[in-house]
Amino acid sequence: MHNMKKNILKIASVLGITGVVLNSCGPKENTPLVWFPDMYFPVAYDPLQKAEDAYSKHDNEIPAFVAQNGATALTPVDGTVPRNIEHIVEVNSSKILTPDEYNAGYDASKSITVSPLDPKNREKDLARGKVLYERTCGACHGAAGDGQGSIVVSGAYSGVPNYKDREITLGSVHYVLVNGRNAMGSYAGQLQPGDRWRVAMYVMDAFKGGMAPAPTAVAQDSVATK
């Protein structure tokens, strides 16, 4: 009796394993779920194009990708919060500039004295700009904008200017945040497009006696679509 039970268990185990194997190799119309598709299907270098696998003719069969003609870049799901909520599009903000291009852009930016943000939110924008400045810029530029941040005071770094000694405008501060200047690198990767303008607004408001009246010229390196 004991041996019979053992034989039944063995037979059941073999049948179970056989069923799993056969099911995994079943017809394509009943494909199983794949949790890590990148391990099974090729992914294009350009996510907007169909991936091509030089070693196989097996196309990506994940339904979401098939629906986009093989492109592996998926659209955001419903309810996704956009990172650029102000819809500010900055032209060539990631372009590597030559010295001549940089200097020309910096000179042109000085004529910009109004941000593309909604002026109705000025107080909120300044409040957020203050928080971002203290968090991102204060260690070097100092809470008072005098170039005496904690890193400078410690002796680890020097040469940070006092804003009061500089001829700057809202546009030039924003330009430096995007492109860097001298030993300061770009902060485009740390600050969202709208937040760069908020920091620039705070710098002008707190350390330069406020921003100049809005000019007739429109910001050339930024376009607000909302």
Side-chain angles (χ1 to χ4, degrees), residues 161-185:
N162 188 325
Y163 282 122
K164 293 181 179 179
D165 300 331
R166 292 282 175 158
E167 294 183 4
I168 57 176
T169 68
L170 177 70
S172 68
V173 175
H174 174 268
Y175 186 86
V176 172
L177 283 170
V178 175
N179 299 287
R181 186 167 180 81
N182 298 325
M184 174 181 162

Side-chain angles (χ1 to χ4, degrees), residues 4 37 48 95-96 110 126 141 145 166 172 203 223:
M4 183 179 294
L48 299 180
K95 178 184 177 182
I96 299 177
K110 288 187 175 182
L126 285 173
H141 288 277
R166 292 282 175 158
S172 68
V203 168
V223 179

Side-chain angles (χ1 to χ4, degrees), residues 103-120:
N103 291 330
Y106 181 75
D107 291 340
S109 71
K110 288 187 175 182
S111 65
I112 301 171
T113 56
V114 59
S115 85
L117 299 176
D118 190 342
K120 296 179 182 178

